[in-house]
Amino acid sequence: MDSPLSGLAWLDRNKERPDSTADWLRRLAIGDIELTHEAFHSLEPWRAAAHLRELLMSCGVLPAVDKRICSLERWLIGHLADIPDPDHAQVVRRFATWEVLPRLRTSSQKKPITPAARRHAADQVKQATAFLTWLAARDHTLGTCGQTGIDAWHTEQNEYTRNTMRAFLLWCSASKLTRPFRLPPVHIRRATPMPQPERLELIGQLLTDPDLPLRTRVAGVIVLLYAQPLSRVVRLTLDDVGHSNDQTFLRLGEPPSPVPEPLAELLHRWISSRDNMNTATNHASRWLFPGRRAGQPMHPDALAALINDIGIPTTAGRTAAIRQHVLEMPAPVVAEALGYHRVTTAKLASEAGGNWSRYAAGDHWRSPPGWTPQSNA
């Protein structure tokens, strides 16, 4: 830390209390608390425990695990304890252990779990619990539930609940916990894009209004210009910002995307004045948007709140941006440069009426010659 005294003051605060950080460190040292992730699940207050756990992971003392998987595991202990029916609790535990958590762990090996994915996983567990309660209220169990019961449940639920419950119902069917049944197809609603003139006006406002916070301006333009979701924006690092022949580039895919000069100036100014850099939490952090938790970037929900507060609808703006890109460039090029799946951009291009359908992407997209990553500010 640049100021060790502040860290010592943090450790010294309430050190006599049994739930203080100093007490936890003492108990870890003498073996009273096991140095495992499972041991941290039961520590209260959980926010302080999560902060200490992340500090220990960033130092290499604990194995690195996606923090949102840790959060779900801690939440699951309390949720299972609150289920009054032991048979229901057993089914929900099996579903979470063999279906929900393995899927999240597999996803975390490819990219960090987003807050939305963490919430969705918890909602799947909660809806599974609610479904078992719904069956019991009608004197049914999973074993006696068939197509009639599934249809009756579907008619009472909204679209989100039906989609959230789909994984549990399919797992029950595959595990032969229910009678055979069929599920209706999933309906996916796409966000309505904002009009192109409105998007351009908002970009201009972010680039020119000095009264707006610098962090919000930079993040907002990345969303509106490059069609990036905030869950991806917060994972950008200084190594994703580079230079080639006096041109600034931002690596969102391959090739890196050129950054126009008004944004380039804001971007470099933000890099030299980033927040949350004065404590051990993110000392010498490489995150473009450092967070308040050890080794972690800013939470996408927190960044979304800042952007929404100045009147920018991030989802509608991102949708408008990606649709405009596939109209102006071949969908495969857009997919590679902006980090989208090719199938996604191809569908968007078809819906938007793009005329690049006969374009065949090659493998010649590379970083610009002389690419140099951003040095640490």
Side-chain angles (χ1 to χ4, degrees):
M1 299 176 62
D2 293 333
S3 177
L5 283 178
S6 64
L8 292 172
W10 170 66
L11 288 173
D12 194 58
R13 189 182 307 132
N14 301 321
K15 65 180 181 181
E16 302 302 328
R17 289 176 48 182
D19 57 355
S20 67
T21 302
D23 180 62
W24 286 339
L25 289 172
R26 179 187 61 80
R27 293 169 62 194
L28 283 166
I30 65 176
D32 187 35
I33 299 176
E34 293 186 7
L35 191 57
T36 64
H37 285 287
E38 290 72 22
F40 273 82
H41 292 334
S42 59
L43 296 181
E44 292 290 346
W46 69 267
R47 291 184 186 276
H51 181 63
L52 177 59
R53 186 213 303 252
E54 287 161 11
L55 281 170
L56 294 175
M57 284 195 290
S58 70
C59 296
V61 178
L62 274 174
V65 177
D66 192 293
K67 72 170 189 175
R68 294 190 173 90
I69 293 180
C70 293
S71 169
L72 183 66
E73 290 175 335
R74 180 200 57 78
W75 171 84
L76 187 61
I77 293 173
H79 179 77
L80 291 172
D82 290 338
I83 299 177
D85 189 312
D87 292 334
H88 291 181
Q90 182 187 42
V91 172
V92 174
R93 180 182 290 105
R94 288 174 56 192
F95 171 61
T97 302
W98 300 109
E99 178 66 20
V100 178
L101 285 169
R103 186 171 62 249
L104 282 183
R105 292 187 183 111
T106 300
S107 297
S108 70
Q109 295 174 2
K110 302 175 183 177
K111 59 181 180 180
I113 303 300
T114 64
R118 156 66 175 85
R119 286 192 295 267
H120 182 67
D123 286 346
Q124 287 180 321
V125 174
K126 288 188 281 189
Q127 293 299 335
T129 307
F131 179 68
L132 295 174
T133 303
W134 183 89
L135 287 176
R138 288 155 180 79
D139 296 324
H140 279 290
T141 64
L142 286 175
T144 61
C145 179
Q147 189 66 53
T148 301
I150 296 297
D151 291 342
W153 178 83
H154 261 257
T155 59
E156 298 180 14
Q157 309 303 319
N158 59 38
E159 184 176 349
Y160 176 78
T161 301
R162 291 194 293 267
N163 291 341
T164 303
M165 264 289 292
R166 193 177 185 87
F168 177 67
L169 294 176
L170 292 175
W171 175 79
C172 287
S173 178
S175 303
K176 302 190 183 313
L177 298 178
T178 62
R179 296 174 181 175
F181 59 81
R182 292 175 290 103
L183 294 176
V186 176
H187 297 285
I188 300 177
R189 294 183 179 180
R190 296 190 182 275
T192 302
M194 70 168 57
Q196 179 68 357
E198 181 181 343
R199 169 177 163 260
L200 295 177
E201 181 180 351
L202 288 173
I203 292 175
Q205 178 187 0
L206 290 172
L207 291 175
T208 59
D209 190 344
D211 293 330
L212 296 177
L214 184 56
R215 172 173 51 191
T216 308
R217 294 170 68 187
V218 172
V221 175
I222 293 175
V223 171
L224 294 175
L225 192 60
Y226 300 107
Q228 296 298 296
L230 288 174
S231 60
R232 198 181 301 166
V233 171
V234 298
R235 305 300 304 187
L236 293 172
T237 70
L238 300 188
D239 300 318
D240 294 316
V241 181
H243 307 272
S244 177
N245 299 326
D246 297 326
Q247 169 70 60
T248 299
F249 289 86
L250 184 62
R251 188 190 298 277
L252 305 168
E254 283 292 344
S257 299
V259 180
E261 184 50 41
L263 174 58
E265 189 272 332
L266 290 181
L267 185 58
H268 292 303
R269 186 143 50 97
W270 165 247
I271 289 174
S272 65
S273 61
R274 289 172 297 158
D275 296 338
N276 303 329
M277 297 287 293
N278 296 325
T279 69
T281 298
N282 265 318
H283 186 67
S285 172
R286 301 293 292 175
W287 296 115
L288 185 58
F289 298 99
R292 297 181 181 277
R293 305 287 284 271
Q296 299 294 329
M298 189 175 184
H299 196 290
D301 289 351
L303 189 56
L306 295 177
I307 296 176
N308 291 334
D309 282 346
I310 62 173
I312 297 179
T314 55
T315 303
R318 177 168 61 88
T319 304
I322 190 63
R323 287 172 66 90
Q324 188 64 29
H325 284 308
V326 297
L327 284 174
E328 297 175 350
M329 294 182 290
V333 174
V334 175
E336 292 183 13
L338 299 183
Y340 278 75
H341 196 285
R342 289 191 178 191
V343 173
T344 301
T345 55
K347 288 182 178 179
L348 289 170
S350 177
E351 294 171 1
N355 56 1
W356 296 92
S357 58
R358 304 182 70 178
Y359 175 86
D363 60 356
H364 55 282
W365 303 103
R366 294 291 184 267
S367 297
W371 163 275
T372 303
Q374 169 74 37
S375 61
N376 197 0

